[in-house]
Amino acid sequence: MNRRSCAAWCAVALLTACAAPEPVTVANAWIRAPAPGTHIAAGYFDITNNTPTSVALIGAASDACASIEMHTTEYDGSTMRMRRLDRVELAAGATESFAPGGRHLMLLEFADVTSPTIAVTLQFADGAQLRVPFELRSVTGSNPS
Ligand SMILES: [Cu+2]
């Protein structure tokens, strides 16, 4: 961001929240707790790129699980498949949703099912990281996707 656009951003921020806007913001972050006897959880959230340039989400990590993969859900007729995503592009100003039935985080060997919130660190292509509290919810009746 050059000096001129930074000044414009700061002016907007002063008018709205008296603080510099976060470059990327996350809302509605929650984790579907693993079904009983399993250790795979799914994470969902809405992510907004507040910058004037595109940003790429390339991964995530948490102390609550061994590893996290980004997946998308695809349907081949009535068969559901999950495909791994290496990156998710966030266009300037865009909001992208990770939601049940679509894109999601897959938390492998998820261990912590007692904390009401789980910290997940989102990782971006430019090296930036964003620590996000996810609300842990128990949702029964369907598989993580
Ligand atoms: Cu998955």
Side-chain angles (χ1 to χ4, degrees), residues 71 82 104 106:
H71 286 179
M82 294 192 293
H104 56 277
M106 200 103 260

Side-chain angles (χ1 to χ4, degrees), residues 2-65:
N2 64 33
R3 211 169 256 279
R4 190 190 178 105
S5 64
C6 179
W9 272 107
C10 294
V12 170
L14 286 170
L15 288 172
T16 54
C18 297
E22 293 289 332
V24 174
T25 47
V26 170
N28 308 317
W30 65 284
I31 288 171
R32 184 204 302 264
T38 71
H39 301 280
I40 297 177
Y44 307 108
F45 55 99
D46 298 320
I47 186 166
T48 300
N49 173 11
N50 301 302
T51 76
T53 55
S54 67
V55 167
L57 180 63
I58 58 165
S62 174
D63 290 340
C65 60

Side-chain angles (χ1 to χ4, degrees), residues 19 40 86 98:
I40 297 177
D86 291 327
F98 285 64

Side-chain angles (χ1 to χ4, degrees), residues 40-42 69-73 82-83 102 104-106 144-145:
I40 297 177
E69 296 179 357
M70 294 193 293
H71 286 179
T72 188
T73 308
M82 294 192 293
R83 184 167 60 84
H104 56 277
L105 299 181
M106 200 103 260
S145 67

